[in-house]
């Protein structure tokens, strides 16, 4: 079919120019006479679909029902109506079936000509093969979704920092980890503020080293999310260099490792507890061996002496010694039973315990001593009101520490004992502080929690209280530490698991 301009005034030159233009472009051209319904498709239109010229009749029927993908028909009809009735732009991506029966993507665009009354009389347009472009975009989108899903599942995202703009760009996963909505400009200092106070100094130092000396970093830090959740994250970064070798920014990865880190810390705590248990058992075995052997040796010696003496006075003295040894042996057995009770109840299920309730129990148990020595007992458990532990152990720990603070008060000074709880690294901490006589840790630190170790020459001291306290704390998975100065008082710090 030869293409002919509809206007009778069209010159041969105009027709020739248009024909050359159609032949020269890489698009198929179509012409639709709206009033007559006749259509014309250019040679290139046929070529794009693998047909010979005129092999398929150029008609709206063939276009809609033979070439066009069924799922695209409604869209094409709708956009055509909008163009012809409201003169809205006509440009749409569609799928057309080639001669081999395979659908490919094309972009078609057109423009109608209207008469003086605004009625459409003719429409001319083009089709361009964009199949490879669409496939590339789809593949890119698929890869993007795959990467985003992989990031989401691994809880790892990417980030980069532009030194010139001072802005940080995050992937979606990094926003999710921070519990923030996606998008928005983030300044470097704003990003740093999401870290905990301890971690900010570390990240600032590493960022400076990376920017100034090109030193990459890989850190495990704690983050406070937008919802105030404290989590562990792994942050890695390295410098970005321009063609001249100058550092222009940083890029790296950002991963939520909170669950992994919690398991790691839990494992470390478990290993520490097991190690403490082993040490306690060895210590206990040594104490049993030493103390019981000492008492039995003394008894044996007294009995041997009694066999060879005839003096009634000597025998009375020996019996008195045997009574004392027997009493000491009985006390030792009582103490060892107390230790065994702690050891044998390590696996008891812990409970959530209200500190204020147990402080009241302590006040009631020591009411006589508190009133007698005019003790001021100050307590604040508002910041961390609850801990997990064994009820009997917590009660024993508080009574032991408070009674020790009263017993070892500083002469001439009104005793003040303070109990305060708070969270440290997401773990409950209880401080028991006093203004008493204190302990010389340079001399006694290694023996402080030992059995039968005393430091003040107090005749009431037995050296069993702190030993039991340490055993009870460690049996609950916690640890106990002390800071003290002679004459200034002591502070016992209990960290619960």
């Amino acid at each position: 079919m030869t293409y002919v301009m509809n206007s009778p005034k069209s010159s041969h030159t105009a027709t020739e120019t248009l024909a050359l233009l159609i032949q020269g472009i890489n698009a198929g051209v179509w012409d639709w006479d709206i009033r007559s319904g006749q259509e014309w498709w250019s040679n290139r239109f046929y070529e794009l679909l693998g047909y010979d010229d005129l092999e398929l009749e150029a008609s709206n029927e063939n276009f809609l029902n033979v070439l066009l993908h069924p799922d695209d028909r409604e869209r094409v009809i709708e956009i055509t109506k909008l163009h012809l009735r409201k003169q809205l732009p006509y440009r749409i991506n569609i799928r057309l079936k080639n001669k081999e029966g395979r659908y490919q993507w094309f972009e078609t665009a057109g423009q109608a000509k209207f008469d003086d009354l605004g009625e459409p009389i003719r429409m001319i347009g083009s089709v361009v093969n964009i199949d490879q472009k669409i496939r590339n975009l789809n593949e890119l989108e698929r890869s993007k979704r795959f990467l985003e899903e992989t990031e989401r599942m691994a809880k790892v995202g990417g980030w980069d920092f532009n030194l010139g703009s001072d802005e940080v760009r995050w992937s979606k996963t990094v926003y999710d980890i921070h519990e923030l909505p996606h998008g928005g400009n983030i300044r470097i200092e704003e990003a740093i503020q999401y870290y905990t106070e301890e971690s900010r100094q570390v990240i600032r130092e590493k960022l400076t080293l990376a920017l100034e000396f090109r030193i990459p970093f890989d850190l495990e830090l704690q983050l406070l999310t937008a919802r105030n959740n404290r989590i562990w994250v792994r942050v890695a970064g390295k410098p970005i260099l321009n063609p001249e070798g100058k550092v222009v920014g940083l890029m790296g990865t950002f991963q939520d490792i909170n669950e992994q880190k919690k398991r790691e810390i839990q494992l470390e705590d478990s290993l520490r507890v097991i190690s403490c248990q082993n040490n306690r058992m060895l210590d206990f075995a040594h104490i049993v061996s030493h103390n019981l052997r000492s008492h039995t040796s003394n008894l044996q010696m007294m009995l041997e002496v009694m066999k060879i003496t005839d003096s009634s006075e000597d025998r009375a003295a020996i019996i008195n010694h045997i009574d004392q040894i027997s009493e000491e042996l009985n006390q030792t057995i009582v103490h060892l039973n107390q230790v065994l009770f702690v050891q044998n109840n390590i696996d008891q299920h812990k409970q959530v315990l209200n500190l204020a309730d147990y402080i009241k129990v302590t006040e009631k148990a020591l009411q006589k001593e508190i009133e007698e020595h005019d003790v001021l007992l100050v307590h604040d458990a508002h910041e961390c009101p609850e801990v997990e532990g064994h009820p009997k152990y917590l009660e024993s720990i508080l009574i032991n520490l408070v009674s020790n603070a009263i017993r070892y008060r500083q002469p001439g000074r009104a005793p003040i004992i303070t109990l305060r709880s708070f969270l440290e690294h997401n773990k409950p901490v209880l401080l028991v502080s006093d203004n008493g006589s204190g302990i010389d840790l340079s001399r006694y630190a290694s023996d402080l929690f030992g059995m039968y170790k005393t430091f003040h020459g107090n005749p009431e001291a037995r050296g069993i209280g702190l030993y039991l306290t340490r055993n009870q704390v460690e049996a609950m998975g916690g640890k106990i530490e002390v800071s003290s100065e002679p004459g200034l008082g002591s502070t016992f710090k209990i960290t619960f698991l």
Side-chain angles (χ1 to χ4, degrees):
M1 178 182 290
T2 304
Y3 179 77
V4 179
M5 299 291 288
N6 287 348
S7 172
K9 296 182 179 180
S10 298
S11 65
H12 175 75
T13 304
T15 303
E16 188 177 59
T17 301
L18 182 57
L20 288 172
L21 179 62
I22 292 171
Q23 185 178 356
I25 64 176
N26 193 35
V29 177
W30 50 269
D31 186 353
W32 175 31
D33 188 321
I34 298 173
R35 289 175 175 174
S36 68
Q38 290 185 340
E39 286 197 31
W40 171 85
W41 299 341
S42 71
N43 293 345
R44 183 60 179 154
F45 187 105
Y46 283 103
E47 288 176 10
L48 289 173
L49 294 169
Y51 288 95
D52 293 331
D53 191 20
L54 304 179
E55 185 177 351
L56 182 69
E57 182 186 358
S59 69
N60 193 50
E61 176 71 19
N62 281 339
F63 179 79
L64 289 176
N65 297 318
V66 177
L67 299 179
L68 188 63
H69 194 289
D71 292 346
D72 295 340
R73 286 172 194 157
E74 189 175 335
R75 291 191 303 121
V76 169
I77 292 170
E78 182 63 24
I79 196 173
T80 302
K81 287 180 181 178
L82 291 173
H83 179 70
L84 298 178
R85 294 175 183 175
K86 299 184 179 180
Q87 300 188 25
L88 295 179
Y90 180 88
R91 182 182 295 272
I92 185 173
N93 292 341
I94 58 175
R95 287 162 289 181
L96 298 177
K97 184 166 65 174
N98 61 22
K99 188 176 180 179
E100 297 175 353
R102 187 168 64 88
Y103 284 100
Q104 291 185 311
W105 281 98
F106 291 83
E107 179 187 75
T108 182
Q111 178 61 51
K113 182 180 179 181
F114 299 88
D115 62 16
D116 294 339
L117 297 176
E119 293 296 323
I121 56 176
R122 180 184 179 189
M123 188 171 176
I124 299 175
S126 63
V127 289
V128 179
N129 190 313
I130 58 169
D131 192 67
Q132 192 58 49
K133 176 183 175 182
I134 292 294
R135 292 183 188 281
N136 290 342
L137 287 174
N138 287 342
E139 180 61 25
L140 184 63
E141 183 62 27
R142 190 191 72 82
S143 298
K144 181 182 177 184
R145 287 197 302 270
F146 174 78
L147 181 61
E148 288 178 350
E149 184 63 17
T150 303
E151 284 187 4
R152 187 188 65 79
M153 293 175 66
K155 295 185 178 180
V156 59
W159 62 273
D160 62 46
F161 166 55
N162 187 310
L163 188 57
S165 65
D166 197 43
E167 287 186 353
V168 180
R169 184 175 58 176
W170 289 342
S171 69
K172 289 181 180 179
T173 304
V174 179
Y175 281 101
D176 292 338
I177 293 171
H178 282 78
E179 296 186 314
L180 287 168
H182 298 166
N185 296 328
I186 303 288
R187 298 283 179 182
I188 187 65
E189 187 57 34
E190 182 183 352
I192 291 173
Q193 289 304 312
Y194 282 103
Y195 293 96
T196 60
E197 188 174 348
E198 312 91 75
S199 295
R200 282 179 210 151
Q201 183 178 349
V202 177
I203 190 65
R204 282 198 178 100
E205 177 185 339
K206 296 301 181 180
L207 288 173
T208 301
L209 290 173
L211 291 169
E212 293 185 4
F213 302 103
R214 307 181 186 179
I215 300 175
F217 57 86
D218 192 338
L219 307 168
E220 292 183 355
L221 303 172
Q222 281 195 299
L223 188 80
L224 277 176
T225 71
R227 297 178 185 173
N228 208 35
N229 291 315
R230 184 187 290 258
I231 63 171
W232 282 95
V233 294
R234 181 180 180 183
V235 190
K238 67 177 183 178
I240 301 172
L241 307 180
N242 66 9
E244 290 76 37
K246 182 180 178 182
V247 177
V248 293
L250 301 170
M251 66 179 296
T253 58
F254 195 94
Q255 184 177 13
D256 179 350
I257 59 168
N258 196 51
E259 292 304 317
Q260 171 189 336
K261 193 68 179 178
K262 284 199 296 187
R263 287 193 295 270
E264 183 182 314
I265 292 171
Q266 203 169 35
L267 178 59
E268 290 176 355
D269 286 340
S270 297
L271 290 174
R272 180 178 56 81
V273 170
I274 292 170
S275 177
C276 289
Q277 289 173 358
N278 288 337
N279 290 336
R280 287 200 305 271
M281 291 304 292
L282 289 172
D283 190 24
F284 180 74
H286 173 74
I287 291 168
V288 170
S289 174
H290 177 272
N291 289 10
L292 292 184
R293 189 189 307 119
S294 174
H295 293 313
T296 55
S297 295
N298 288 338
L299 278 174
Q300 188 176 12
M301 182 182 67
M302 289 295 103
L303 291 172
E304 291 295 330
V305 172
M306 181 177 283
K307 288 179 183 178
I308 62 174
T309 184
D310 295 326
S311 169
S312 57
E313 292 180 1
D314 289 342
R315 283 178 173 272
I318 291 170
I319 291 172
N320 186 49
H321 282 302
I322 290 174
D323 283 341
Q324 291 178 4
I325 294 169
S326 176
E327 178 61 28
E328 290 171 1
L329 177 59
N330 184 61
Q331 282 294 321
T332 298
I333 291 172
V334 169
H335 294 157
L336 295 178
N337 278 333
Q338 289 177 307
V339 175
L340 278 175
F341 177 81
V342 175
Q343 300 288 350
N344 291 333
N345 287 274
I346 285 173
D347 295 328
Q348 282 185 358
H349 292 296
K350 291 189 287 185
Q351 303 173 24
V352 176
L353 308 175
N354 186 286
L355 278 173
D357 292 342
Y358 283 83
I359 291 172
K360 288 178 182 177
V361 170
T362 302
E363 283 184 290
K364 186 174 181 180
L366 300 174
Q367 184 176 359
K368 180 181 177 182
E369 291 89 339
I370 291 172
E371 292 176 353
E372 181 182 347
H373 301 291
D374 197 21
V375 177
L376 176 61
L377 192 64
V378 181
H379 50 88
D380 178 10
H382 292 93
E383 189 174 337
C384 179
E386 295 178 337
V387 299
E388 283 192 7
H390 304 311
K392 288 185 179 297
Y393 293 175
L394 182 59
E395 180 180 334
S396 174
I397 289 165
L398 288 174
I399 289 175
N400 267 330
L401 293 179
V402 173
S403 63
N404 273 356
I406 297 173
R407 184 179 297 120
Y408 302 117
R409 60 195 176 276
Q410 180 73 3
R413 182 189 299 163
I416 301 175
I417 304 171
T418 304
L419 295 91
R420 185 170 73 90
S421 63
F422 56 90
L423 283 175
E424 185 174 84
H425 304 304
N426 273 354
K427 292 183 177 181
V429 172
L430 173 65
L431 294 184
V432 181
S433 305
D434 64 62
N435 64 341
S437 55
I439 304 167
D440 186 352
L441 294 179
S442 64
R443 294 179 60 188
Y444 301 119
S446 60
D447 294 329
L448 187 61
F449 295 102
M451 195 171 186
Y452 301 126
K453 303 293 184 181
T454 58
F455 316 103
H456 298 93
N458 190 311
E460 298 178 16
R462 295 291 180 267
I464 188 67
L466 287 181
Y467 180 82
L468 278 174
T469 296
R470 186 197 71 176
N471 273 260
Q472 290 163 339
V473 170
E474 291 179 352
M476 293 190 295
K479 65 176 180 179
I480 184 168
E481 303 165 279
V482 64
S483 58
S484 184
E485 289 187 40
L488 298 180
S490 304
T491 297
F492 287 87
K493 178 182 178 181
I494 300 170
T495 305
F496 295 86
L497 186 62

